[in-house]
Amino acid sequence: MVKLIALYKTPENIEQFDEHYFGHHTEITKKIPGLRKMEVTKIVGSPMGKSEYHILCEMYYDDHDALKAAMKSDEGKASGKDLMSFAADLVTLMIGEEINE
Protein backbone atom coordinates (compact mmCIF):
# COMPACT_ATOMS: atom_id res chain seq x y z
CA MET A 1 0.00 0.00 0.00
CA VAL A 2 0.97 3.59 -0.63
CA LYS A 3 -0.05 6.42 1.62
CA LEU A 4 -0.25 10.16 1.40
CA ILE A 5 0.81 11.58 4.76
CA ALA A 6 -0.19 15.05 5.93
CA LEU A 7 1.61 16.40 8.99
CA TYR A 8 0.17 19.62 10.43
CA LYS A 9 1.97 22.05 12.71
CA THR A 10 -0.03 23.41 15.62
CA PRO A 11 -2.15 26.34 14.40
CA GLU A 12 -2.53 29.60 16.30
CA ASN A 13 -6.27 29.00 16.72
CA ILE A 14 -6.68 25.28 17.40
CA GLU A 15 -10.45 25.46 17.85
CA GLN A 16 -10.99 27.20 14.51
CA PHE A 17 -8.57 24.81 12.75
CA ASP A 18 -10.23 21.70 14.21
CA GLU A 19 -13.68 22.96 13.31
CA HIS A 20 -12.70 23.35 9.66
CA TYR A 21 -10.51 20.25 9.51
CA PHE A 22 -12.97 17.81 11.08
CA GLY A 23 -16.19 19.53 10.02
CA HIS A 24 -15.31 20.24 6.40
CA HIS A 25 -11.92 19.10 5.11
CA THR A 26 -12.06 15.44 6.13
CA GLU A 27 -15.54 15.14 4.62
CA ILE A 28 -14.18 16.28 1.23
CA THR A 29 -11.14 14.02 1.52
CA LYS A 30 -13.19 10.92 2.39
CA LYS A 31 -14.89 11.19 -1.02
CA ILE A 32 -11.66 10.86 -3.04
CA PRO A 33 -11.88 7.84 -5.37
CA GLY A 34 -9.49 5.02 -4.51
CA LEU A 35 -9.02 6.06 -0.89
CA ARG A 36 -8.95 2.78 1.07
CA LYS A 37 -8.54 4.10 4.58
CA MET A 38 -7.90 7.39 6.35
CA GLU A 39 -6.39 7.53 9.84
CA VAL A 40 -6.12 10.80 11.77
CA THR A 41 -3.89 11.01 14.83
CA LYS A 42 -3.89 13.90 17.30
CA ILE A 43 -0.33 14.63 18.40
CA VAL A 44 -0.23 15.03 22.18
CA GLY A 45 3.51 15.42 22.73
CA SER A 46 6.91 13.90 22.13
CA PRO A 47 9.40 11.97 24.27
CA MET A 48 11.00 15.34 25.00
CA GLY A 49 7.72 16.98 26.03
CA LYS A 50 5.74 19.39 23.91
CA SER A 51 5.53 18.95 20.12
CA GLU A 52 5.18 21.58 17.41
CA TYR A 53 2.77 19.25 15.60
CA HIS A 54 -1.00 19.00 15.98
CA ILE A 55 -2.34 16.31 13.61
CA LEU A 56 -1.02 13.49 11.44
CA CYS A 57 -3.29 12.14 8.71
CA GLU A 58 -2.50 8.99 6.71
CA MET A 59 -4.50 8.30 3.55
CA TYR A 60 -4.04 4.81 2.10
CA TYR A 61 -4.18 3.82 -1.59
CA ASP A 62 -3.55 0.50 -3.35
CA ASP A 63 -0.50 1.76 -5.26
CA HIS A 64 1.17 4.84 -6.77
CA ASP A 65 -1.12 4.80 -9.80
CA ALA A 66 -4.20 4.83 -7.58
CA LEU A 67 -2.78 7.78 -5.63
CA LYS A 68 -1.98 9.70 -8.83
CA ALA A 69 -5.48 9.08 -10.18
CA ALA A 70 -6.99 10.15 -6.86
CA MET A 71 -5.10 13.44 -6.87
CA LYS A 72 -6.24 14.16 -10.45
CA SER A 73 -9.91 13.48 -9.62
CA ASP A 74 -12.37 16.32 -9.00
CA GLU A 75 -12.58 15.24 -5.34
CA GLY A 76 -8.79 15.16 -5.01
CA LYS A 77 -8.50 18.63 -6.53
CA ALA A 78 -11.24 19.93 -4.21
CA SER A 79 -9.43 18.49 -1.18
CA GLY A 80 -6.15 20.07 -2.26
CA LYS A 81 -7.76 23.44 -2.92
CA ASP A 82 -9.45 23.38 0.49
CA LEU A 83 -6.20 22.34 2.17
CA MET A 84 -4.34 25.30 0.71
CA SER A 85 -7.14 27.66 1.80
CA PHE A 86 -6.74 26.94 5.52
CA ALA A 87 -3.44 25.13 6.13
CA ALA A 88 -0.93 25.96 3.39
CA ASP A 89 1.59 27.26 5.90
CA LEU A 90 0.98 24.44 8.41
CA VAL A 91 1.04 21.23 6.37
CA THR A 92 3.85 19.03 5.10
CA LEU A 93 2.80 16.35 2.59
CA MET A 94 4.75 13.11 2.07
CA ILE A 95 4.23 9.89 0.13
CA GLY A 96 5.20 6.62 1.79
CA GLU A 97 5.14 2.91 1.03
CA GLU A 98 4.23 0.40 3.71
CA ILE A 99 6.93 -2.16 4.40
CA ASN A 100 5.77 -5.44 5.88
CA GLU A 101 8.69 -7.29 7.44
Side-chain angles (χ1 to χ4, degrees):
M1 286 217 150
V2 171
K3 56 184 167 180
L4 178 61
I5 303 159
L7 181 59
Y8 297 87
K9 290 182 181 175
T10 303
E12 285 186 31
N13 186 327
I14 293 173
E15 185 178 314
Q16 183 180 8
F17 177 92
D18 285 355
E19 185 177 308
H20 184 89
Y21 184 80
F22 292 106
H24 184 71
H25 185 69
T26 58
E27 296 306 312
I28 295 171
T29 303
K30 288 176 185 177
K31 296 176 184 175
I32 296 175
L35 178 66
R36 296 291 177 206
K37 176 172 66 168
M38 184 168 86
E39 294 180 338
V40 178
T41 303
K42 181 179 178 183
I43 307 300
V44 296
S46 78
M48 282 65 74
K50 190 174 180 179
S51 173
E52 68 178 297
Y53 297 102
H54 179 56
I55 288 177
L56 170 73
C57 179
E58 297 172 292
M59 296 152 280
Y60 293 80
Y61 295 88
D62 288 336
D63 52 35
H64 287 282
D65 289 336
L67 173 58
K68 287 177 189 175
M71 295 302 97
K72 290 180 181 178
S73 71
D74 289 343
E75 296 86 351
K77 290 175 185 176
S79 178
K81 183 177 180 180
D82 183 63
L83 176 66
M84 292 299 109
S85 77
F86 80 99
D89 58 340
L90 299 173
V91 69
T92 299
L93 297 171
M94 299 163 274
I95 296 172
E97 296 177 348
E98 285 197 320
I99 300 172
N100 296 314
E101 296 183 29

